[in-house]
């Protein structure tokens, strides 16, 4: 990973950044609460600022989104990583929701 040198602390923090942000992706996509806290976002932003810029040109990260007034620590981190902190997953059509599918399977037995 560029710049090809990283302290053990930075390497483990980079893994934590990856895990935390993808946990946010999954939580939001499935309608769950964000696992990111203000404290964790502040800590992760430090490592993000250390590793993200050399990786953006390689396609590992998209462009940062501009900060908005009133952003909390989580929103600042997410925007820096190119994610919209207000994003919500579109709701699946009623015919594809789990409760409907389970009912349909029971009736076809």
């Amino acid at each position: 990973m560029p710049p090809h040198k990283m302290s053990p602390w930075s390497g483990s923090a980079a893994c934590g950044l990856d895990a935390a942000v993808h946990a946010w992706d999954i939580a939001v996509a499935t309608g769950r609460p964000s696992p990111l806290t203000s404290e964790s976002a502040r800590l992760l932003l430090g490592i993000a600022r250390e590793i993200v810029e050399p990786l953006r040109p390689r396609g590992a990260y998209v462009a940062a989104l501009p900060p908005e007034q009133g952003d909390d620590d989580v929103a600042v981190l997410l925007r820096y990583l190119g994610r919209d902190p207000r994003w919500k997953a579109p709701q699946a059509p009623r015919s594809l929701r789990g409760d409907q599918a389970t009912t349909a399977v029971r009736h076809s037995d």
Side-chain angles (χ1 to χ4, degrees):
M1 181 159 116
H4 306 293
K5 290 182 183 179
M6 188 176 283
S7 71
W9 183 92
S10 293
S12 60
C15 291
L17 172 66
D18 188 60
V21 173
H22 288 304
W24 179 86
D25 294 335
I26 293 167
V28 173
T30 58
R32 305 281 191 234
S34 171
L36 291 173
T37 64
S38 287
E39 182 180 8
S40 64
R42 277 191 307 275
L43 294 170
L44 293 170
L45 185 59
I47 190 64
R49 288 193 170 133
E50 182 180 329
I51 68 166
V52 168
E53 292 312 317
L55 297 174
R56 282 195 211 276
R58 299 173 184 273
Y61 292 93
V62 298
L65 299 176
E68 293 187 6
Q69 186 173 356
D71 277 351
D72 62 10
D73 294 323
V74 172
V76 170
L77 173 66
L78 293 172
R79 287 183 196 284
Y80 184 74
L81 298 174
R83 287 166 168 79
D84 181 352
R86 295 177 307 208
W87 184 82
K88 301 282 185 231
Q91 191 171 15
R94 197 168 191 180
S95 62
L96 297 178
R97 292 187 203 150
D99 57 329
Q100 298 288 326
T102 304
T103 303
V105 170
R106 283 192 205 132
H107 290 299
S108 66
D109 291 340

